[in-house]
């Protein structure tokens, strides 16, 4: 097969894009640095507007990828902060909590839109002509945000957008055709591994703490905490996690026997 045909849901292209949408990575980085991160609500609205505008503009793949990568950290930050407002609440969620959860889901959908645009654009040429570095990152990120979209939909006890599972399978199949499923990719937002791949990714973004009957998602764990990490068999007994540092195990230390002596109590009635 020389080409891949993708059937993905994409936002409509706007003929008159908004003028204040930033399309230069350097300008966007400065804009992100000035975001009021302590005001999560305002920052969420600003990020949503910027993402929506970019996803409806015609851009080259490399600049679009750089812009999306700049937006990933603040999007992750506000998503986690917003999720604290409804994590652990019993279903059905109150109206206000449902609105917040819907905002988090919409952010994931817009991030997925951006990376899917790069994937679809790449199908215009043959597989031999695609930029595997750009496309590999875009495919990995698109799959990652589509799976988050599924997770956020389950949190709301509402159906995921139609065709989400099909899109994930299509993107993974595309990665297989390109032979890049196990190619290492840099992902600074992955708190467990310094490098990930499309086929072998381990993420702890949805770790759950257990306390009696309570279940709560968490970003931190300490010695003695019991946490659950959803995975599909990638984590096994004996696996060790770190924040990125290299770990080396030399085995259990063994010691040679030294001098042993037997001690006897001459008079057990005498004691201190």
């Amino acid at each position: 097969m020389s080409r891949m045909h993708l059937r993905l849901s994409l936002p409509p292209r706007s003929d008159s894009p908004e003028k204040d949408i930033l399309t230069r990575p350097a300008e966007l980085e400065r804009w992100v640095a000035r975001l009021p991160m302590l005001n999560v609500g305002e920052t969420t609205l600003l990020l949503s507007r910027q993402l929506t505008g970019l996803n409806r503009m015609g851009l080259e793949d490399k600049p679009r990828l750089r812009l999306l990568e700049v937006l990933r950290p603040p999007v992750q930050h506000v998503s986690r902060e917003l999720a604290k407002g409804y994590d652990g609440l019993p279903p059905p969620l109150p109206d206000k909590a449902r609105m917040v959860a819907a905002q988090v889901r919409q952010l994931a959908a817009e991030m997925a839109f951006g990376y899917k645009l790069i994937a679809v654009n790449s199908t215009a040429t043959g597989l031999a002509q695609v930029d595997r570095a750009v496309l590999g990152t875009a495919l990995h990120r698109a799959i990652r945000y589509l799976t988050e979209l599924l997770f956020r939909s389950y949190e709301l006890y509402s159906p995921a957008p139609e065709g989400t599972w099909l899109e994930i399978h299509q993107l993974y199949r595309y990665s297989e055709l390109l032979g890049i499923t196990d190619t290492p990719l840099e992902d600074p937002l992955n708190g467990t591994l310094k490098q990930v791949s499309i086929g072998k990714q381990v993420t702890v973004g949805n770790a759950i703490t257990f306390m009696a009957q309570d279940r709560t998602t968490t970003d931190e764990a300490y010695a003695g905490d019991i946490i659950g990490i959803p995975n599909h068999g990638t984590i096994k007994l004996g696996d060790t996690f770190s924040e990125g540092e290299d770990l080396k195990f030399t085995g259990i230390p063994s010691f040679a026997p030294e001098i042993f002596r037997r001690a006897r109590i001459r008079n057990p009635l005498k004691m201190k």
Side-chain angles (χ1 to χ4, degrees), residues 94-255:
D95 291 341
K96 183 177 180 180
R98 286 185 63 85
M99 291 177 60
V100 173
Q103 282 183 301
V104 176
R105 185 171 72 165
Q106 186 59 32
L107 283 174
E110 288 294 338
M111 291 299 295
F113 278 149
Y115 291 110
K116 286 191 293 182
L117 283 167
I118 299 174
V120 170
N121 288 342
S122 69
T123 60
T125 61
L127 296 180
Q129 285 77 39
V130 299
D131 187 332
R132 279 171 164 73
V134 171
L135 183 56
T137 301
L139 290 172
H140 171 268
R141 307 290 197 256
I143 294 173
R144 179 248 183 271
Y145 284 106
L146 286 173
T147 54
E148 181 173 346
L149 188 56
L150 289 173
F151 176 75
R152 299 303 178 184
S153 298
Y154 297 153
E155 284 185 323
L156 286 167
Y157 285 82
S158 63
E162 185 177 356
T164 303
W165 276 110
L166 177 60
E167 292 188 356
I168 292 174
H169 286 290
Q170 287 183 80
L171 294 170
Y172 187 81
R173 177 56 178 159
Y174 193 14
S175 305
E176 286 185 323
L177 291 175
L178 293 169
I180 59 174
T181 54
D182 294 326
T183 302
L185 300 171
E186 294 292 336
D187 188 359
L189 298 188
N190 188 310
T192 301
L193 301 177
K194 288 185 289 186
Q195 288 184 325
V196 297
S197 66
I198 294 172
K200 296 179 181 179
Q201 178 184 4
V202 178
T203 176
V204 292
N206 300 319
I208 302 172
T209 58
F210 298 85
M211 179 65 70
Q213 295 181 348
D214 296 334
R215 305 288 187 270
T216 307
T217 58
T218 183
D219 297 331
E220 297 179 342
Y222 302 93
D225 290 351
I226 300 174
I227 64 173
I229 302 175
N231 73 101
H232 300 283
T234 57
I235 301 174
K236 305 181 183 65
L237 289 175
D239 286 352
T240 303
F241 295 90
S242 71
E243 293 185 348
E245 63 270 21
D246 294 327
L247 300 177
K248 294 183 180 179
F249 298 94
T250 57
I252 300 175
S254 59
F255 303 95

Side-chain angles (χ1 to χ4, degrees), residues 41-108:
E42 181 181 352
T43 301
T44 300
L45 293 176
L46 291 171
L47 288 170
S48 297
R49 188 166 178 271
Q50 180 69 26
L51 268 173
T52 302
L54 286 176
N55 289 338
R56 285 147 186 82
M57 296 175 62
L59 297 171
E60 296 293 329
D61 290 344
K62 285 186 177 181
R64 184 183 297 279
L65 181 64
R66 289 185 61 191
L67 293 167
L68 291 169
E69 293 294 287
V70 171
L71 292 173
R72 285 187 74 214
V75 167
Q76 176 171 290
H77 171 76
V78 298
S79 296
R80 289 181 173 180
E81 290 299 312
L82 290 172
K84 293 177 181 179
Y86 59 85
D87 275 347
L89 295 180
L93 294 177
D95 291 341
K96 183 177 180 180
R98 286 185 63 85
M99 291 177 60
V100 173
Q103 282 183 301
V104 176
R105 185 171 72 165
Q106 186 59 32
L107 283 174

